[in-house]
């Protein structure tokens, strides 16, 4: 058990400009918004925190929500409870489904959307969903900002890359009328990466033809599985899909999973992934 | 570090290690023992309090993050009329959760009935999904909540959708 620590230096910037300035002077300061991931993984009486912390939850500039006809922007400190309250009329329903699969209401009132995607060592529940929705993120540092696709934040091994002086401040989620939105999370614990699996599938159809199809799997570890070739192959097919098509796609997908992450997924995860993609494909147009 | 916040309507300030959990601060520094330390992982729900009007697991809040917040514990609501209806409803159907989660369940019931005067069972499920103690069944809880709603209705307060 870690002891009570007076060595922890807590900064409390008053504005976003203060925070950016602090980050420039002290790049090693780590940001603390909801803290649920950190504290759920350290169950000692005194959780071990990094020596320099900037508490950012109170900054109004990071809690703003802005909607246009084409997209919705969420500040990184918007809580999951707040997004859940806004609901699927305004925010893609698949994101709401994913949020409802996370913790309980008291946990969601603390957890923030920025915190969920910025966990250093794991890609948590919302990352694959936001990736599928073509989310872009704003990264700011003192004197500048840039927008980047969420895919640019992680390397091939699933490690997060945000420069030490940059802060993820906003997320921009395009609003598209998806006819089918489905999220399912199987979990044996909040962060068990051998027994957890999340599936997210979205699709659009027009007059019985599949016009767009995307799906992704996350493992609550670093593994994210998405095969754009299989997705592209499915576009412009008639739905419901024929049984022989379903079987062929299932075989392709199984081969892809075994080839791309043979040692990173447990047999349970591989088996469940196959079942979920088959079910989702069969539900299209049914 | 010095941390200040509103606690049950009163402004308080204390010098405390920043990584001390809020649940321990409430119990050890303010002797408010309604919130109980259970799992320290935000799973059992025994440490539930209101932070800025939202039900929150106080074991997941390091005290520095409570700066300038408005915290209400079970003790802060125990004497309200709403809580009396809930207690009466619980007693009327002999719903007695264990000592470890009793106050946090009462607080959750308070939050539920404030936002959903006549809650449906799925709303009860959603609010109580943060309680993992096996001391009582969901069936008993439904009955107790329905009894509390009924008692409040008979007294002429709220109770209509």
């Amino acid at each position: 058990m870690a002891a009570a620590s007076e060595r922890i230096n807590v900064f409390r910037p008053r504005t976003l400009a203060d925070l950016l300035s602090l980050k420039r002077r002290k790049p090693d300061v780590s940001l603390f918004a909801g803290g649920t991931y950190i504290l759920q993984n350290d169950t000692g009486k005194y959780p071990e925190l990094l020596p320099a912390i900037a508490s950012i939850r109170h900054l109004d500039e990071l809690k703003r929500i802005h909607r246009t006809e084409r997209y919705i922007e969420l500040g990184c400190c918007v809580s999951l409870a707040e997004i859940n309250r806004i609901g699927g009329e305004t925010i893609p329903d698949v994101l709401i489904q994913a949020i409802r699969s996370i913790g309980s209401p008291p946990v969601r009132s603390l957890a923030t959307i920025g915190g969920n995607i910025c966990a250093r060592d794991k890609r948590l529940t919302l990352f694959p969903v936001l990736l599928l929705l073509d989310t872009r993120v704003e990264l700011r540092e003192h004197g500048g900002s840039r927008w980047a696709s969420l895919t640019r934040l992680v390397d091939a091994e699933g490690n997060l890359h945000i420069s030490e002086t940059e802060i993820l401040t906003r997320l921009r989620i395009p609003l598209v009328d998806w006819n089918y939105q489905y999220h399912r999370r199987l979990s044996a614990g909040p962060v068990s990466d051998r027994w957890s699996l999340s599936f997210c599938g979205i699709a659009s159809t027009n007059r019985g033809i599949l016009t767009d199809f995307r799906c992704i799997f996350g493992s609550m570890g670093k593994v994210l599985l998405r095969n754009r070739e299989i997705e592209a192959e499915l576009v412009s097919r008639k739905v419901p899909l024929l049984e022989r098509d379903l079987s062929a796609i299932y075989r392709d997908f199984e081969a892809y999973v075994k080839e791309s992450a043979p040692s990173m997924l447990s047999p349970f995860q591989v088996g469940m992934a196959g079942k979920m993609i088959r079910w989702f494909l069969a539900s299209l147009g049914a | 570090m010095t941390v200040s916040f509103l606690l049950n309507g009163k402004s308080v300030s204390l010098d405390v290690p920043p990584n001390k959990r809020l649940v321990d601060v409430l119990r050890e520094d303010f002797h408010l023992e309604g919130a109980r330390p259970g799992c320290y992982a935000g799973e059992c729900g025994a440490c539930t309090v209101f932070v800025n009007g939202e039900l929150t697991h106080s074991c997941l809040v390091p005290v520095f993050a409570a700066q300038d917040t408005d915290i209400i514990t079970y003790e802060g609501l125990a004497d309200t009329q709403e809580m009396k209806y809930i207690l009466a409803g619980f007693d009327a159907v002999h719903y007695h959760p264990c000592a470890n989660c009793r106050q946090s369940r009462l607080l959750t019931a308070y939050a539920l009935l404030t936002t959903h005067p006549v809650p449906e069972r799925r709303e009860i499920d959603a609010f109580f999904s943060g309680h993992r103690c096996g001391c009582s069944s969901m069936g008993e809880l439904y009955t107790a909540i329905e009894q509390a709603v009924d008692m409040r209705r008979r007294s002429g307060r709220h109770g209509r959708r």
Side-chain angles (χ1 to χ4, degrees):
Chain A
M1 184 171 74
S5 177
E6 290 291 356
R7 291 176 292 107
I8 299 169
N9 206 355
V10 179
F11 298 90
R12 196 175 155 81
R14 274 188 267 172
T15 61
L16 179 57
D18 283 353
L19 175 63
L20 295 169
S21 166
L22 172 69
K23 247 327 208 177
R24 187 182 58 161
R25 283 183 282 117
K26 296 178 180 292
D28 59 327
V29 165
S30 63
L31 306 185
F32 191 99
T36 49
Y37 179 66
I38 300 166
L39 270 79
Q40 280 186 318
N41 284 294
D42 183 345
T43 54
K45 189 171 172 70
Y46 290 91
E48 283 188 50
L49 302 176
L50 292 168
I53 291 171
S55 179
I56 61 169
R57 182 67 183 269
H58 60 284
L59 294 177
D60 287 337
E61 293 133 300
L62 300 179
K63 291 195 280 191
R64 290 188 185 138
I65 299 171
H66 173 66
R67 189 181 193 269
T68 71
E69 278 186 15
R70 291 168 49 213
Y71 58 79
I72 185 158
E73 277 181 5
L74 302 169
C76 65
C77 286
V78 175
S79 73
L80 303 187
E82 179 66 23
I83 302 171
N84 187 32
R85 268 195 293 273
I86 296 169
E89 299 282 308
T90 309
I91 287 174
D93 187 56
V94 72
L95 183 60
I96 301 294
Q97 291 176 37
I99 284 172
R100 287 180 184 160
S101 77
I102 298 171
S104 57
V107 173
R108 295 198 289 266
S109 74
L110 283 173
T112 62
I113 188 161
N116 196 282
I117 62 176
C118 284
R120 285 264 165 210
D121 55 340
K122 285 178 195 284
R123 304 284 66 80
L124 300 179
T125 310
L126 300 185
F127 197 97
V129 180
L130 292 165
L131 204 66
L132 214 58
L133 293 169
D134 286 338
T135 301
R136 292 174 68 78
V137 292
E138 183 191 49
L139 297 161
R140 288 184 72 166
E141 60 185 339
H142 192 77
S145 71
R146 66 187 172 103
W147 284 90
S149 163
L150 203 55
T151 48
R152 297 291 172 96
L153 290 194
V154 287
D155 61 20
E157 278 78 47
N159 297 306
L160 191 72
H161 289 289
I162 297 179
S163 139
E164 277 200 325
T165 54
E166 282 184 322
I167 295 167
L168 191 156
T169 47
R170 278 186 290 174
L171 297 93
R172 182 179 289 173
I173 307 168
L175 297 175
V176 176
D177 274 338
W178 299 100
N179 301 122
Y180 298 89
Q181 303 186 59
Y182 181 72
H183 179 269
R184 181 79 196 271
R185 181 176 160 201
L186 304 172
S187 178
V191 286
S192 162
D193 59 1
R194 295 298 287 172
W195 298 101
S196 296
L197 187 77
S198 70
F199 168 75
C200 178
I202 50 180
S204 283
T205 55
N206 186 14
R207 296 179 186 177
I209 303 288
L210 204 53
T211 53
D212 200 347
F213 174 84
R214 304 175 191 180
C215 74
I216 192 166
F217 289 92
S219 69
M220 297 295 284
K222 288 181 179 174
V223 182
L224 292 173
L225 291 176
R226 182 180 182 191
N227 188 322
R228 287 174 189 263
E229 282 174 26
I230 295 177
E231 288 177 7
E233 236 177 70
L234 281 162
V235 172
S236 65
R237 293 222 194 164
K238 267 192 175 177
V239 288
L241 294 163
L242 299 173
E243 186 56 40
R244 68 162 189 272
D245 290 340
L246 281 174
S247 300
I249 296 160
Y250 180 71
R251 275 196 303 276
D252 289 351
F253 179 76
E254 207 176 24
Y256 161 71
V257 170
K258 282 180 180 162
E259 197 179 293
S260 54
S263 59
M264 296 170 90
L265 292 182
S266 65
F268 168 79
Q269 289 168 317
V270 174
M272 291 312 291
K275 284 188 174 70
M276 281 200 261
I277 195 165
R278 194 185 170 93
W279 176 86
F280 183 62
L281 286 168
S283 73
L284 301 177
Chain B
M1 75 178 282
T2 304
V3 181
S4 307
F5 49 86
L6 272 180
L7 179 58
N8 293 331
K10 287 181 189 162
S11 182
V12 296
S13 190
L14 78 161
D15 197 33
V16 66
N19 61 338
K20 189 168 184 177
R21 294 173 192 262
L22 180 59
V23 60
D24 291 331
V25 169
L26 295 173
R27 292 175 63 83
E28 294 165 12
D29 297 277
F30 294 104
H31 310 291
L32 296 170
E33 303 197 341
R36 297 194 173 225
C39 62
Y40 278 154
E43 298 208 348
C44 71
C47 62
T48 305
V49 298
F50 281 104
V51 176
N52 290 338
E54 300 235 37
L55 277 183
T56 302
H57 292 322
S58 56
C59 70
L60 293 183
V61 181
V63 70
F64 74 80
Q67 174 71 33
D68 293 338
T69 58
D70 181 0
I71 296 163
I72 296 177
T73 65
Y74 169 75
E75 290 83 353
L77 295 169
D79 291 332
T80 61
Q81 190 59 47
E82 190 71 22
M83 192 59 89
K84 284 176 184 164
Y85 288 127
I86 297 168
L87 278 164
F90 280 27
D91 284 343
V93 296
H94 308 291
Y95 176 65
H96 299 300
C98 71
N100 206 39
C101 68
R102 183 171 179 272
Q103 277 96 336
S104 63
R105 282 182 189 260
L106 287 165
L107 211 58
T108 306
Y110 183 94
L112 170 71
L113 296 180
T114 307
T115 50
H116 302 82
V118 188
E120 290 177 7
R121 290 197 169 181
R122 63 181 171 81
E123 290 160 345
I124 300 175
D125 289 343
F127 267 76
F128 283 87
S129 62
H131 293 269
R132 295 283 169 87
C133 184
C135 64
S136 57
S137 72
M138 284 308 286
E140 290 173 302
L141 177 64
Y142 295 144
T143 315
I145 295 287
E146 282 156 10
Q147 187 66 37
V149 170
D150 195 43
M151 287 193 156
R152 188 177 54 182
R153 184 188 287 135
R154 272 187 273 146
S155 76
R157 289 164 66 97
H158 319 294
R160 240 179 241 161
R161 236 174 228 291

